[in-house]
Amino acid sequence: KMGVRLEAFTVSAIRTALELQQEMGFSMVLVGATQAHRLAEELAAADVPVILSAGRMGNPDFPSETLLSRWSTLKEAGVKVALASGRSGADLLLAGGQLISAGANQTDVWHALTTIPAQILGIDQKFGSIGNGQSGSMILFEGSSPFDLSAPFRAHKPR
């Protein structure tokens, strides 16, 4: 009954994963998924969320395939898209800032960092958003935006 998290990057590997999912009947989340945007419609139809790695901003083999273009294609097809850290948590803010500066909606980026990962993990009843009965840590940012990496911040973790 547990979902399968599968790391797949190429169209071929993702298509094989989709075929296996259909044959075996399990739920799946794609991690990494550098070329997932090329199968966006199929992923949306199969209700497969994608976790894009912030450590893989672009594809060196296809320089026009930026994080924003891949993100936008998946979002427009109706795929749930989350962002995962690459090498460090700072990669998340860097990727979020790059998406926003390139034209992504700031609310959508926040959801990709908070609400959607909680949904994918099945813990969204308790984590991933701010509200009554929710739990989590808060980070206070100074400056014009939390995506401004030059701004100082302070963390607060509830007791």
Side-chain angles (χ1 to χ4, degrees), residues 17 34 67 93 97 118 130 149:
T34 307
L67 180 61
L93 288 179
I130 297 174
L149 294 181

Side-chain angles (χ1 to χ4, degrees), residues 27-43:
S27 64
M28 177 175 62
V29 176
L30 282 180
V31 181
T34 307
Q35 296 180 356
H37 62 288
R38 296 181 183 182
L39 299 172
E41 299 294 333
E42 292 174 54
L43 292 168

Side-chain angles (χ1 to χ4, degrees), residues 136-142 152-158:
S137 299
M138 301 276 298
I139 299 176
L140 305 174
F141 294 92
E142 296 178 10
F153 65 90
R154 297 184 301 271
H156 168 74
K157 187 171 184 175

Side-chain angles (χ1 to χ4, degrees), residues 54-55 57 84-97 146-147 149 153:
M57 299 290 191
S85 62
R87 296 170 298 278
S88 72
D91 285 345
L92 286 174
L93 288 179
L94 180 61
F147 299 106
L149 294 181
F153 65 90

Side-chain angles (χ1 to χ4, degrees), residues 117-134:
Q119 290 171 349
I120 289 170
L121 292 170
I123 59 173
D124 55 313
Q125 297 301 313
K126 189 84 172 148
F127 298 96
S129 61
I130 297 174
N132 289 336
Q134 298 292 93

